Amino acid sequence: VTRKGGGEVTGTGVDRSTAATVVRMTDRELDAFTPGDWGLLTSLALIWGSSFVFIEIGLESLTPAQIAFLRILLGTAALALVPASRRRVQPGTWPRLVLLGMTWMGIPFLLFPLAQRSIDSSLAGMLNGGVPLWAALVATIVARRLPPRGVLVGLAAGFTGILLISLPTLDTEGSSTGGAALIVLATILYGISLNIAVPLQRRYGTLPVMLRAQAVAAVFTLPFAAAGLGGAPVQPASLVAVAALGILGTGLALALMATLAGRVGVARGSIAIYLVPIVAIVLGTTLQGDRVAPLALVGTAFVIAGAAVTSRSQRATVMPETLPAPDEEIPAVGVSG
């Protein structure tokens, strides 16, 4: 769909009302960020970027499975308070919702605290920046065709960055390398889940899909969390950290991301994801005393640049059956350890 110089809307196989809807969305998404938009963006970056520090504090007296279950349970409860999340979905959608719950939260939320028993929160945050790259790679594999040249350049830069971030772990204990590998595995699952989520979000909206996926993940992680009961006494600081992780990072942040994406578009709203590693590095080094290898910082720059180039270079082909209705919620993404 294109807009001619005189303002006329034209398209191939798209009726005029649908084309007008697309133009309205595009015009809105091209507007400059308002102070409210910047506030949402900053809040998201701080919430998701701090999640790795919260995990580290939680590990002081909780098992990885308990952290995963509690954050998902609290996130589900927080999200359920938002009326839009309680919209109905078709029963036939549940198999995909179960798969989404496993790949987006159930398994990754277990892997992050497992990994952070042997690596710093800063390293976890830096590797988490590769999520958009894995999502683009999975989309390419599913489509069975090469993406545009700009996307290939972005992917190459991003995965080079992931390699640079991981290299310093080879000079330390083997457990650090294993922890980094778990984070990479979690981000691969995030990339898969994003490709599962988008069609569902286009049909039902972001929040109803996420609420049900979180409920699935809570059921999945419950047995693992229960197996760790009866250990050392739980410290209040760990409970507070996990409460913040669940209510803010796994609940409120999703509602904020959906709001931001609806105001500025998914592509520009995803800038928050690129800021997450930066926040994680700052908080990890200042609050936890993390030591960040210079090579890892260079790698983080490559990852952020690659993710940005990848998202900006894509040119989606708009088909009538995939266009959102005028009142449909724009799909939003948001992932963090």
Side-chain angles (χ1 to χ4, degrees):
V1 179
T2 59
R3 180 191 288 275
K4 291 184 177 180
E8 179 183 353
V9 176
T10 63
T12 302
V14 182
D15 60 55
R16 293 184 62 83
S17 63
T18 300
T21 298
V22 175
V23 171
R24 284 198 302 273
M25 290 173 60
T26 302
D27 287 345
R28 178 184 59 188
E29 293 172 8
L30 289 177
D31 289 341
F33 274 28
T34 66
D37 297 334
W38 282 112
L40 287 170
L41 184 68
T42 303
S43 298
L44 284 168
L46 290 174
I47 290 172
W48 281 330
S50 63
S51 64
F52 310 97
V53 172
F54 288 142
I55 289 174
E56 200 157 312
I57 297 173
L59 284 170
E60 293 176 1
S61 62
L62 293 170
T63 67
Q66 288 170 344
I67 292 174
F69 170 71
L70 288 174
R71 71 177 291 189
I72 295 170
L73 180 67
L74 292 170
T76 303
L79 204 57
L81 296 176
V82 182
S85 70
R86 301 194 294 270
R87 296 174 187 163
R88 297 184 61 183
V89 301
Q90 295 298 323
T93 307
W94 273 101
R96 283 180 290 170
L97 288 171
V98 170
L99 180 60
L100 181 63
M102 298 291 288
T103 57
W104 199 328
M105 282 156 283
I107 299 175
F109 283 8
L110 284 172
L111 292 178
F112 269 92
L114 279 172
Q116 286 189 228
R117 292 191 301 183
S118 58
I119 65 173
D120 291 335
S121 61
S122 298
L123 178 57
M126 288 186 283
L127 290 171
N128 188 81
V131 170
L133 304 171
W134 291 114
L137 181 60
V138 171
T140 297
I141 295 172
V142 171
R144 295 183 180 180
R145 62 176 179 228
L146 288 176
R149 183 179 302 176
V151 175
L152 290 175
V153 171
L155 289 173
F159 289 123
T160 299
I162 292 174
L163 178 61
L164 293 176
I165 294 171
S166 303
L167 279 177
T169 66
L170 300 178
D171 298 329
T172 59
E173 299 177 2
S175 59
S176 296
T177 303
L182 290 178
I183 298 294
V184 172
L185 176 58
T187 56
I188 292 173
L189 290 173
Y190 279 157
I192 294 172
S193 67
L194 288 174
N195 284 273
I196 299 171
V198 168
L200 294 173
Q201 291 174 324
R202 282 177 177 160
R203 184 173 182 182
Y204 299 111
T206 297
L207 300 185
V209 170
M210 296 310 301
L211 177 64
R212 288 158 178 82
Q214 286 186 6
V216 168
V219 172
F220 170 72
T221 55
L222 175 58
F224 300 101
L229 294 176
V234 178
Q235 299 176 9
S238 294
L239 288 177
V240 172
V242 175
L245 186 64
I247 296 172
L248 299 179
T250 315
L252 176 62
L254 291 173
L256 295 179
M257 185 65 192
T259 302
L260 181 63
R263 293 171 61 155
V264 303
V266 176
R268 293 202 297 166
S270 66
I271 296 173
I273 300 174
Y274 308 150
L275 300 177
V276 167
I278 300 174
V279 175
I281 292 171
V282 172
L283 294 180
T285 54
T286 57
L287 300 181
Q288 301 294 119
D290 296 349
R291 294 183 179 180
V292 180
L295 188 60
L297 291 176
V298 174
T300 301
F302 268 86
V303 168
I304 295 173
V309 170
T310 299
S311 66
R312 292 175 183 174
S313 298
Q314 297 185 62
R315 294 291 183 267
T317 301
V318 180
M319 300 299 291
E321 62 269 20
T322 62
L323 285 172
D327 59 347
E328 182 180 353
E329 182 182 358
I330 300 173
V333 298
V335 286
S336 177

